[in-house]
Amino acid sequence: MKKLLFILATLFSVTTYANALVEGKQYVQVSNSQATSSAEVIEFFSFYCPHCYSFEYQYQIPTKVKNSLPQGVEFKQYHVNFLGRQSENLTRAWAFAMATGNTDKVKEDLFNAAQKDKLRSMNDIREIFIKHGISAEQFDSGINSFVVNALVNKQINLAEQMKVRSVPDFYVNQRFRVNPEGLNQQDFIQDYVLTIKGLLQK
């Protein structure tokens, strides 16, 4: 009974928060209807982006968002190409990591190498994957595979469709974009998480 009451209280608080969200403040509506068959949250990011690095490792916002999502809501991270250098290769490498289930293995080292501007070619990126147990043969045969090509195109096309111009950038159901400038700066992390949970109720 206590568990049921807790669940009902949580649902009530999230619904209340959803109703309190103001378009143009905490979020921007980018589509009139949900563009996905199932609920999802997408973060667009770049390994070159220092704010993305802070979100990931200092504030841990992606992890907190992912852990707070209701059952059945998928959290995705898509890489963008517009910060130059090895961005296109990193988008492809991230697609390969997603396709092979290795995102958690390579993410931190890819971030660190990009933040220190140590990546000069796909070979430098390849070495990071090999370091984490992905064989050279697996990388070489998979990096330009049909599945990876499809994920590369999905990341690029969706970033263009959503008109992503800066990162990190969070979208809910390809319908709402979180507006970080409108969040409570005194409790930024919690407000970020609550805003996303609230937008899932709209």
Side-chain angles (χ1 to χ4, degrees):
M1 186 66 181
K2 287 182 179 179
K3 186 175 181 181
L4 176 61
L5 289 173
F6 175 77
I7 293 171
L8 290 173
T10 301
L11 289 172
F12 177 77
S13 63
V14 172
T15 302
T16 302
Y17 195 87
N19 292 334
L21 293 175
V22 178
E23 183 178 0
K25 185 181 179 184
Q26 297 100 330
Y27 73 96
V28 177
Q29 185 165 330
V30 295
S31 174
N32 290 326
S33 59
Q34 181 172 325
T36 55
S37 57
S38 56
E40 67 176 22
V41 177
I42 297 175
E43 178 200 5
F44 290 96
F45 79 103
S46 169
F47 287 112
Y48 284 116
C49 164
H51 296 299
C52 298
Y53 184 90
S54 295
F55 262 51
E56 188 75 39
Y57 296 109
Q58 181 180 353
Y59 305 120
Q60 299 183 332
I61 290 175
T63 299
K64 292 179 188 298
V65 168
K66 182 178 180 180
N67 291 342
S68 74
L69 295 178
Q71 187 174 359
V73 180
E74 193 170 1
F75 177 69
K76 303 173 183 177
Q77 291 179 299
Y78 287 166
H79 195 266
V80 298
N81 281 351
F82 52 68
L83 292 184
R85 291 164 285 182
Q86 293 298 312
S87 288
E88 291 185 11
N89 281 338
L90 284 166
T91 295
R92 178 166 294 277
W94 188 244
F96 174 76
M98 287 192 287
T100 57
N102 288 302
T103 54
D104 289 341
K105 287 185 180 179
V106 299
K107 183 192 294 181
E108 188 169 4
D109 276 1
L110 289 174
F111 256 121
N112 287 331
Q115 291 293 302
K116 295 173 183 176
D117 205 18
K118 289 185 174 181
L119 303 173
R120 295 291 176 265
S121 68
M122 181 64 90
N123 191 57
D124 293 332
I125 298 169
R126 178 178 180 266
E127 290 302 313
I128 291 174
F129 279 81
I130 292 172
K131 171 186 172 184
H132 288 282
I134 294 89
S135 70
E137 293 77 12
Q138 184 184 8
F139 186 91
D140 294 341
S141 63
I143 194 66
N144 292 304
S145 67
F146 175 81
V147 172
V148 169
N149 286 339
L151 282 171
V152 168
N153 291 332
K154 187 172 186 177
Q155 292 176 95
I156 293 171
N157 292 338
L158 195 55
E160 291 176 353
Q161 179 185 326
M162 297 288 100
K163 296 181 172 59
V164 178
R165 296 292 179 265
S166 62
V167 286
D169 212 11
F170 283 73
Y171 290 80
V172 176
N173 296 333
Q174 298 181 31
R175 186 182 178 195
F176 304 112
R177 172 187 174 269
V178 177
N179 178 31
E181 291 81 8
L183 301 182
N184 180 355
Q185 300 302 307
Q186 303 302 314
D187 201 1
F188 183 76
I189 297 171
Q190 183 179 4
D191 207 19
Y192 217 110
V193 173
L194 287 174
T195 295
I196 288 173
K197 291 178 70 175
L199 290 174
L200 285 166
Q201 302 296 314
K202 286 187 171 290

